[in-house]
Amino acid sequence: MRLVYYISGHGLGHSSRSIEVMREIRARDPLAEITVRTAAPRWIFESAAPRGVVYEHLVTDTGVVQDDSLSLDEDATARAAAAFDDRFADLVDEEARLLRDRRPDVVIGDVPPVASAAAHRAELASVVVANFTWDWILGIYSAFDRFAPRAIRTMGDAYAKTTLALRLPLHGGFSTTPAVRDIPLIARTSLRGRAETRRLLKLADDRVVVLSSFSGFGLDLPIADLERSGDFVLLAPEKEPPAGLRYEDLVAAADVVVSKPGYGIVSECAANGTALLYSSRGNFVEYDLLVREMPRFLRCRFIPQDDLRAGRWTEHVRAVLAQPKPATRARVDGAAIAAAAILDMA
């Protein structure tokens, strides 16, 4: 079986959950040939994807232009989308020619519109695996009316050519995808677990451990002051990743993750039983949805940006840990279900 997987380069969450789907595909079909086309960093796939997955660099979409993890630039986002939209038809033609030459059994997207449009042009089946579509995310920005008046329509028309959308929880959009099937969370779960990772990190089990997680776009935080406070042990992988440990191991070892709310961190906190302190992240429509829905999946609490940036974390950490845990653990077998659906289609 041969697959081509298009992945958005915005942030790391699209890549991390796509890699989980690839793992499940390979578990069922060890000979499956998987090619990834994305602008996400190569190292993510070299370090975590199944052996033999082929990485090819391609700017598949423009996402949202961000100054750091908690602020975005709407005008720059619209201008980038307009420039991309100007060459979108040519990109679809180029990718359709590539797909006709390679003849994959299924084209998968998380979640660039070009994947569905090019697959349709090449008369191939396509699957979207995601919790949102870009026309929903970007459609709220008035800057698109000024700078990119055609772009949202282009995205919606492309998604309308999708054969099947596998929609994750915490979702928005999908009004333009014709066939939708809901599946459980896709999330990385630590295979080491809390106790083993803490032992490797030489952390006492009775210490409160806080993981700072803003590595996708970065954030200027008083890391040294937080480390000296003594109120908790701080893990900051964006500063110096611990050797031999995966990100999901750190999530499982922590009592609390401090981050912006996004599908990836919410799902991984839910999968590993870790609480989340989150702050606002600008005018991002997914934020409101996640704030509304994520208490069903995990303990969570808002921390104002002033407190976050100044390092005033202690009271917020204590408060979120005092919350009761959700009554039931969320299902996190979405990767297995997505892989089975893709193989059935092939």
Side-chain angles (χ1 to χ4, degrees), residues 243-289:
L245 292 176
R246 300 171 66 87
Y247 178 79
E248 59 267 32
D249 298 327
L250 302 182
V251 173
D255 297 287
V256 181
V257 173
V258 182
S259 187
K260 63 177 176 62
Y263 172 89
I265 191 59
V266 171
S267 63
E268 290 177 5
C269 283
N272 293 284
T274 307
L276 175 67
L277 278 183
Y278 65 92
S279 197
S280 55
R281 55 178 301 188
N283 186 19
F284 200 71
V285 67
E286 188 189 25
Y287 173 86
D288 294 328
L289 182 151

Side-chain angles (χ1 to χ4, degrees), residues 5 17 20-25 27-28 127-129 164-169 181-187 331-345:
Y5 214 131
R17 69 186 179 199
E20 294 304 298
V21 176
M22 294 177 210
R23 289 179 179 276
E24 292 290 344
I25 289 171
R28 289 159 172 74
V127 178
V128 161
V129 185
L164 175 65
L166 299 175
R167 184 171 63 184
L168 295 162
R181 176 183 170 189
D182 288 315
I183 63 174
L185 290 172
I186 296 174
R331 284 184 60 182
V332 292
D333 57 339
I337 293 173
I342 291 165
L343 290 170
D344 286 346
M345 182 173 290

